[in-house]
Amino acid sequence: MLETNSEAQRSPALGSRLFHLTLADWIYLLLAAFFSLQLISFAFWSDKANVLSPEAISAQHLSTQLIVFLCAFLFWIWRKLKRPGLALWPLTSVLVGIYLTLVAIFAGQLVFSWASLLLNLTGAWSSLHFSSQTAQEKQPLSKRSLPLASLVLLFSSLVNLIYLFVLLIRNQDTQLAADMSYWFLALLLLGILVCCLLLVRGLRELRPGSLNRLNQNLSERAQRLVSLLVIGISLFISLFLMGRYLFYRVWTFSTPTYDFGLFNQMFSYMARSGQPLTTLERDGLVSHFAIHFSPLFYVFLPFYKLLPTPECLQILQLLTVASGSIPLWLMLRDLKLSQVEQALFSALYLLQPGILLASSYDLHENCFYAPLSLWLLYCLLKEKTAWSFLPASLLLLVKEDAALYVVSAAIWLFFWRDRKTNPDHQSQLRRHRLWALALAAEAVIAFALIANFLNSHGYGIMSYRFAALDQYGIGGFSGILRSCFQNPANILGVMFGESKFSYLASLSLTLGLLALGQVNSRHYLLFLPLLVMNLATTYPYQYRLDFQYGYGSHAFLIFAALLAYAGIRRPETGSPKFALSARAKWQRSLATSLLIFQLLAACTVSVNYLRDADYLRQSYLEEPKRYQSIAQVLKELPRDKVIASNPFLTTHLADCPELYDLEHSESLTKGREADILVFYKEKQTKKEKEVIDYYRKKGYRSAPEYANPYLEVLIRDQATNH
């Protein structure tokens, strides 16, 4: 656990006290020095008018910053050695909170002010929790440091709230404010409520009043009925409604080449030859593993051979994602939550927009991330050392970026700490750290091998999606590291840009608020996949709920939310049946209310998305003959010819060995000749028209045997030499 060692031994010599500092102490000292540097840099060197996208700082300023950082680091070490009871967690939280508030004020952006508010509230919550925890455990910390830190952070939160209202009024005519007015209202009201509740608790820290205990126990039969109802509704939405939507995407020809057409053709090749080949992905015959290394796709192959249809792949993805509820249920059972709580958390996973709606754009290998991440985290939670390498190894076979999830889990494990009295604590701590290092080493080695393979025999790693983090254009991790050290506001500007507001707002209302309420600070490490995969990028699809990039990071957030909830409902101190204090009762009530609120929000967002997407079903039911006639024409086309088609028709032609996309292929007019062209008569893009005109000039004619009111088929005219 990333907490200070509150029982640091007092030694006569300052030097000898260094040996009593824990790893967490050193980390917090580094963070305190880093944000002390940033506050000084903000005051003297920062371009406040352009704080989120500053110009590169000169080498002279870099050397000055290094000296300031070293001085700050030595200062905080001296303070810690002089006062062993100095609580480093609230100190770091206050420095971060003040820095974020200053950046938010000078940035003048709605989304960044909201993000600063959320992070300040998180620090206040953690400080308040540690305040009551240290009071209960009678640790020799300063009696006022934690409550004072929480009040400072709450004051910063109120400043951010007021500034949010000012920005909203100032930008009320902008498109962003118009589009997000509903989110602003919900978030501001919720933020005010949480802030006021925490502020009341902080002011009553020294005199906690008594709360009336509310008996909310349900009978065993009632719990079972409620649980079955919640799970039944969740499965109906996540499997039936989502499956119906995906089926109608196939039946209404709404699945484009990128990415479902190419995956369907890849599986067709795998069923025939066992090789993951496709001609659609890179305009020529190539292995999909040269673009993304995904051998775990072979798990689907036996099922596809039994039913070689695109609908089979769609349902396989949904079942794979839903299977993540199995390790989640095992965690819930082991944490001894009630039947109703188990059902609510299972439903929160099944209906979570970042997991359910990630299937909206058809099959992707990322779908394996959700269940395998939860299996890995379950093994770590249960301390199943040997078994944990199985889900970790399977994760690394999903895709080249899977190392992120394994390393994140390993980092979380590395900071494991048994807070209970345990004579074998040190030996267990060493075992957990060696275990974590082994997992991280496996992930790093696998990533290095896969990256080398893709760079040598494939199309390389798609690292360009994170290029915005490198302020200096140095390239690679060194450029990102220097940018972060000299001015982290640039990184924060990328992570909390205005384009990410809808994503962050929805994530907060449906999951993030509960996940942020941790009683153990090391659990915040579970946010690493979200920060890296979804926020530290300007690639727009990586921070959309209805794309495939949220499976793994949202599975980690589900686990973080579970740990936050269990930590409040089942405190780690003493027996689960010990007498709860008034503050503990208040926290439990808040956690339960927040769980129900987030579940309702997740259900609302997911159902509204599926309701808005119901136009596909209505379109199919209104004109079934239209779609059936198109499907019949595509079925009759010969598969031994080279076919070029509209991108929304490739899914139904995937069993053709040589299939090309009229919209994305460059070779069709540069040497490669298609035998058949098939496209919509009315809907043609500029690129399609250019290719079609090119082939008409070469003598291709409409084929009367494939006459259709919606499609046109061009074939090579046998009367010519073309």
Side-chain angles (χ1 to χ4, degrees):
M1 178 176 178
L2 291 178
E3 296 176 5
T4 58
N5 184 4
S6 60
E7 297 181 356
Q9 298 180 2
R10 296 182 176 271
S11 180
L14 291 180
S16 63
R17 297 180 191 177
L18 287 172
F19 296 100
H20 297 290
L21 295 179
T22 65
L23 176 63
D25 287 333
W26 287 109
I27 292 175
Y28 282 129
L29 287 169
L30 286 170
L31 288 174
F34 176 73
F35 281 100
S36 298
L37 164 67
Q38 299 311 321
L39 287 172
I40 295 172
S41 298
F42 190 86
F44 294 101
W45 298 304
S46 176
D47 180 7
K48 299 177 181 60
N50 196 26
V51 66
L52 293 184
S53 54
E55 296 181 358
I57 299 176
S58 66
Q60 180 182 0
H61 285 165
L62 175 60
S63 60
T64 306
Q65 285 182 309
L66 288 171
I67 295 173
V68 172
F69 173 76
L70 180 60
C71 293
F73 184 54
L74 294 174
F75 171 78
W76 289 119
I77 290 178
W78 175 76
R79 291 295 298 168
K80 177 63 178 175
L81 296 179
K82 289 288 288 184
R83 294 184 58 189
L86 179 66
L88 294 177
W89 165 253
L91 169 67
T92 307
S93 299
V94 168
L95 291 173
V96 174
I98 295 174
Y99 176 73
L100 290 174
T101 302
L102 290 175
V103 173
I105 291 174
F106 284 97
Q109 290 189 10
L110 294 164
V111 62
F112 195 83
S113 296
W114 164 78
S116 177
L117 164 67
L118 202 60
L119 295 174
N120 273 286
L121 285 176
T122 302
W125 163 269
S126 299
S127 296
L128 284 170
H129 171 75
F130 293 143
S131 174
S132 60
Q133 182 188 82
T134 53
Q136 183 179 6
E137 298 176 357
K138 299 180 179 180
Q139 296 184 11
L141 288 172
S142 172
K143 293 182 179 179
R144 296 182 179 179
S145 62
L146 287 163
L148 181 61
S150 63
L151 291 177
V152 171
L153 290 167
L154 286 171
F155 177 76
S156 299
S157 302
L158 288 174
V159 171
N160 277 281
L161 273 174
I162 296 171
Y163 196 61
L164 268 175
F165 277 113
V166 173
L167 288 176
L168 183 59
I169 295 172
R170 184 187 302 171
N171 298 285
Q172 60 183 343
D173 297 329
T174 64
Q175 186 62 40
L176 177 67
D179 293 341
M180 301 303 170
S181 57
Y182 171 79
W183 293 117
F184 274 125
L185 180 62
L187 283 169
L188 289 177
L189 291 177
L190 188 61
I192 292 172
L193 175 63
V194 174
C195 191
C196 291
L197 287 174
L198 292 176
L199 187 58
V200 169
R201 185 188 166 206
L203 294 174
R204 297 177 61 185
E205 186 64 32
L206 299 178
R207 285 190 175 185
S210 61
L211 298 177
N212 295 325
R213 184 171 183 176
L214 206 60
N215 187 1
Q216 297 179 341
N217 294 331
L218 298 173
S219 67
E220 185 176 346
R221 183 178 180 183
Q223 287 192 43
R224 188 179 298 111
L225 289 175
V226 171
S227 301
L228 289 175
L229 180 63
V230 171
I231 294 298
I233 293 174
S234 303
L235 289 174
F236 175 78
I237 295 173
S238 61
L239 293 180
F240 178 77
L241 292 184
M242 191 67 188
R244 185 181 69 174
Y245 164 67
L246 293 178
F247 278 18
Y248 278 110
R249 278 181 60 84
V250 174
W251 297 340
T252 58
F253 304 96
S254 302
T255 55
T257 296
Y258 296 96
D259 291 335
F260 196 41
L262 68 90
F263 281 129
N264 199 24
Q265 189 192 35
M266 181 193 75
F267 271 97
S268 181
Y269 261 105
M270 290 168 66
R272 292 195 304 269
S273 64
Q275 300 183 65
L277 303 176
T278 171
T279 59
L280 289 169
E281 193 162 13
R282 289 296 183 268
D283 197 20
L285 188 63
V286 65
S287 170
H288 174 68
F289 293 175
I291 292 91
H292 295 301
F293 189 75
S294 309
L296 202 62
F297 258 145
Y298 280 98
V299 173
F300 285 172
L301 185 56
F303 303 98
Y304 185 82
K305 281 192 172 184
L306 292 174
L307 188 63
T309 63
E311 293 88 345
C312 175
L313 296 176
Q314 298 281 40
I315 199 63
L316 282 174
Q317 174 170 249
L318 290 182
L319 292 174
T320 298
V321 176
S323 69
S325 58
I326 299 174
L328 180 63
W329 177 79
L330 293 174
M331 296 180 198
L332 293 164
R333 185 192 63 179
D334 291 332
L335 291 171
K336 303 186 185 315
L337 298 182
S338 68
Q339 289 186 18
V340 174
E341 290 170 326
Q342 293 177 29
L344 292 176
F345 257 103
S346 299
L348 184 63
Y349 169 78
L350 292 170
L351 299 179
Q352 188 56 223
I355 291 178
L356 176 62
L357 301 184
S359 302
S360 297
Y361 281 88
D362 315 303
L363 176 71
H364 290 89
E365 57 271 271
N366 301 53
C367 67
F368 291 105
Y369 282 155
L372 289 176
S373 295
L374 289 173
W375 275 114
L376 174 60
L377 293 169
Y378 169 72
C379 291
L380 301 187
L381 185 67
K382 292 294 292 180
E383 301 186 40
K384 298 179 180 292
T385 308
W387 281 103
S388 66
F389 287 93
L390 176 59
S393 301
L394 293 175
L395 264 173
L396 296 172
L397 296 177
V398 174
K399 205 176 179 182
E400 59 275 5
D401 56 16
L404 167 66
Y405 305 104
V406 179
V407 170
S408 298
I411 293 174
W412 174 79
L413 174 66
F414 185 83
F415 290 100
W416 174 90
R417 181 183 175 189
D418 186 1
R419 297 184 60 250
K420 302 176 184 178
T421 303
N422 189 340
D424 298 327
H425 170 69
Q426 291 300 324
S427 62
Q428 284 188 318
L429 182 60
R430 284 192 295 270
R431 183 173 66 87
H432 280 76
R433 288 182 175 174
L434 289 174
W435 179 12
L437 290 174
L439 283 172
E442 179 191 14
V444 171
I445 292 172
F447 177 77
L449 294 174
I450 294 171
N452 181 67
F453 169 77
L454 291 176
N455 290 327
S456 302
H457 303 91
Y459 290 81
I461 300 291
M462 297 182 182
S463 57
Y464 62 87
R465 296 177 179 178
F466 302 93
L469 298 177
D470 184 3
Q471 179 185 2
Y472 299 96
I474 299 174
F477 182 72
S478 60
I480 296 175
L481 186 63
R482 179 177 171 181
S483 299
C484 183
F485 177 80
Q486 290 200 258
N487 199 328
N490 179 62
I491 309 295
L492 295 173
V494 173
M495 289 185 172
F496 301 105
E498 291 195 356
S499 60
K500 296 184 174 72
F501 184 83
S502 180
Y503 175 79
L504 289 169
S506 179
L507 177 60
S508 299
L509 291 176
T510 59
L511 180 61
L513 294 177
L514 184 58
L516 283 170
Q518 298 294 337
V519 299
N520 187 327
S521 57
R522 80 174 176 115
H523 297 331
Y524 290 116
L525 294 170
L526 297 168
F527 283 74
L528 282 175
L530 174 74
L531 295 176
V532 176
M533 181 57 63
N534 304 113
L535 297 183
T537 177
T538 53
Y539 186 61
Y541 301 112
Q542 287 187 213
Y543 49 88
R544 281 184 56 172
L545 292 172
D546 54 349
F547 272 80
Q548 69 273 13
Y549 299 99
Y551 284 118
S553 56
H554 286 72
F556 270 72
L557 291 184
I558 288 284
F559 182 62
L562 171 59
L563 293 178
Y565 186 83
I568 296 172
R569 298 292 293 174
R570 300 286 184 187
E572 298 179 33
T573 53
S575 167
K577 296 183 179 180
F578 74 97
L580 293 175
S581 65
R583 288 187 296 273
K585 295 175 186 178
W586 178 87
Q587 287 182 0
R588 293 181 68 169
S589 299
L590 178 62
T592 302
S593 302
L594 197 55
L595 172 60
I596 296 173
F597 170 80
Q598 304 244 260
L599 175 58
L600 292 175
C603 183
T604 301
V605 173
S606 297
V607 170
N608 280 341
Y609 182 92
L610 293 175
R611 184 192 62 185
D612 294 340
D614 197 51
Y615 69 92
L616 293 176
R617 183 180 67 88
Q618 296 174 1
S619 176
Y620 185 87
L621 295 178
E622 289 173 1
E623 297 182 283
K625 293 184 178 179
R626 167 191 174 94
Y627 297 108
Q628 292 170 7
S629 66
I630 293 174
Q632 185 62 33
V633 170
L634 298 178
K635 185 178 180 180
E636 293 175 355
L637 292 177
R639 293 322 196 238
D640 59 345
K641 303 292 185 180
V642 179
I643 300 178
S645 77
N646 175 276
F648 288 93
L649 303 176
T650 55
T651 298
H652 294 259
L653 296 169
D655 54 341
C656 176
E658 287 196 73
L659 177 65
Y660 297 93
D661 186 323
L662 284 172
E663 178 66 23
H664 300 98
S665 175
E666 297 293 337
S667 63
L668 289 173
T669 57
K670 297 179 181 179
R672 176 178 286 116
E673 286 194 1
D675 298 315
I676 300 174
L677 277 70
V678 54
F679 49 90
Y680 286 106
K681 288 184 175 180
E682 298 178 355
K683 298 183 294 183
Q684 298 173 15
T685 65
K686 179 180 179 181
K687 175 65 182 301
E688 281 185 280
K689 290 179 180 179
E690 291 176 355
V691 178
I692 292 168
D693 291 342
Y694 173 83
Y695 278 88
R696 288 188 188 278
K697 292 177 181 179
K698 291 178 69 68
Y700 282 64
R701 61 177 179 81
S702 298
E705 60 270 30
Y706 302 117
N708 184 277
Y710 311 105
L711 291 183
E712 184 170 358
V713 178
L714 295 183
I715 61 174
R716 191 191 304 269
D717 191 345
Q718 300 299 327
T720 68
N721 293 327
H722 297 288

